[in-house]
Amino acid sequence: MVLQSHYIDRLEGTLIVPGDKSISHRAAILGGLAQGTTQVSNFLCSEDCLNTLKAMEQLGAKVDVLESRDGYGPTKFNISGVSMHPTAPTKPIDCGNSGTGMRLMAGMLAACPFDSEMFGDESLCSRPMGRIMEPLAAMGAKIDAKGAKAGCAPLYIHGGSIHPIDYILPMASAQVKSAVLLAGMFAQGTTSVTQPAITRDHTERLFKHFQIPCQVNGLKVSIDGPVLPLARNLAIPADISSAAFWLVAAATRPGSVLTLPLVGLNDTRCAVIQALQRMGADISIETTSGEDEGEPYGTITVRGSAQLHGTELLVEEIPNLIDEIPILAVAGALAQGEMVIRNAKELRVKETDRIDTTARNLRLMGAEVEEFEDGMIVCGGAQLKGAELQSYGDHRIAMSFLVAGMSAEGTTTLHNTACINTSYPGFSQDLAQMLR
Ligand code: S3P
């Protein structure tokens, strides 16, 4: 599928972006494991999250759809959980494009008393799974990675009894942290994970939501197993990673006023807002969630600025804006001065090598980029030119460069954009609304 964008002078109006991807995966998994029925609303009906929901059905959870988005899938449903006793799947579990789905569910499946198999698309089958296999093996799991590339999916999991560990996480990854904690839900005793830096804490928050005792002490997270999550209805906020495309589109255009309601404002996800504010973006936030709601959310209003300037992303910010780096690099190209992105080697093992794919597309649009093993420096200020670009099958690359095209001379054409459905169903309609 091909999508195009072109120059516009400003953006106005209100956009409600879809539900949070990270929270949707976890809602399906924990709702599916819980005792009782959880009503989930504003679920992200993207291919990634729907695969996780289908996997939970394969494991015995029952899903009754209450509302759907035409052509995509359910956004509101009741999920009746298996009370921590999943049933053996009768066929391999398809995780599609999703590292989160595969890594989190591997943690759960490692602890289940049956064999299972997980596979994914070409991109997922080239991403490193050793990072979850190592701690899960230390917990007693037997997992074989049978992919063409060493340490990659398909994964064969010989599940069974798991014992707790005290794990020092070698990389700042919420997926690995969550895989270990999900396995820890089944283990007898305290499972702990110590992170090298704060990573997104949706698993910990959802544990609390489902009344699972979980302690957070600085960088260390612990769970006392075995646990029984108790069903409790859950409304998922809009995804700040999806909102980020529009934040950049509006912030870089004087005269723009864009309102984004109900966006998740979890501290461990808001670094993109801070980075844009340091660049001179006019962004205001009104928190509208109640005191006791597990995930804070609110309305973000962004007003276009005459000229943004580059910034250096802080080392401690990197894990909390990792998914927004492609669009922040685009913001850097539209700003004055240099945008410095370092300490972000993890970008090389995302849906694509995002240092390479971001730099490549920026250069094709006329920006100067210096590439490093762990990041890039984007030289801002050059007038971007419309170009024929590839998404390389990466949803965030596709959306970032359609937004870049809104500031470029001429037309920008993005090839292979079906991947956008892995995180933002309806993006092309929202883009069309903004380009009108
Ligand atoms: C995610 C964690 C991050 C992020 C991904 C979603 C999650 O990955 O890039 O899109 O939901 O836990 P890592 O854990 O690999 O950093």
Side-chain angles (χ1 to χ4, degrees), residues 20-23 25-26 100 103-104 127 131 171-178 199-200 202-203 269 319 322-323 346 349-351 354 395-396:
D20 188 277
K21 178 157 81 72
S22 293
I23 304 174
H25 280 294
R26 289 158 171 84
T100 308
R103 294 192 178 115
L104 267 57
R127 296 178 66 187
R131 52 179 62 197
M171 74 288 289
S173 166
Q175 293 178 0
V176 181
K177 169 180 71 176
S178 301
T199 65
R200 63 190 69 195
H202 304 300
T203 301
R269 295 284 299 282
I322 192 80
D323 293 340
E346 277 293 305
V349 290
K350 294 296 177 189
E351 285 81 333
R354 286 186 178 155
H395 53 130
R396 299 207 196 276

Side-chain angles (χ1 to χ4, degrees), residues 181 185 203-212 214 223:
L181 293 173
M185 289 175 71
T203 301
E204 296 87 311
R205 284 175 190 261
L206 276 188
F207 277 169
K208 294 208 175 95
H209 184 86
F210 285 99
Q211 294 180 53
I212 301 170
C214 162
I223 177 172

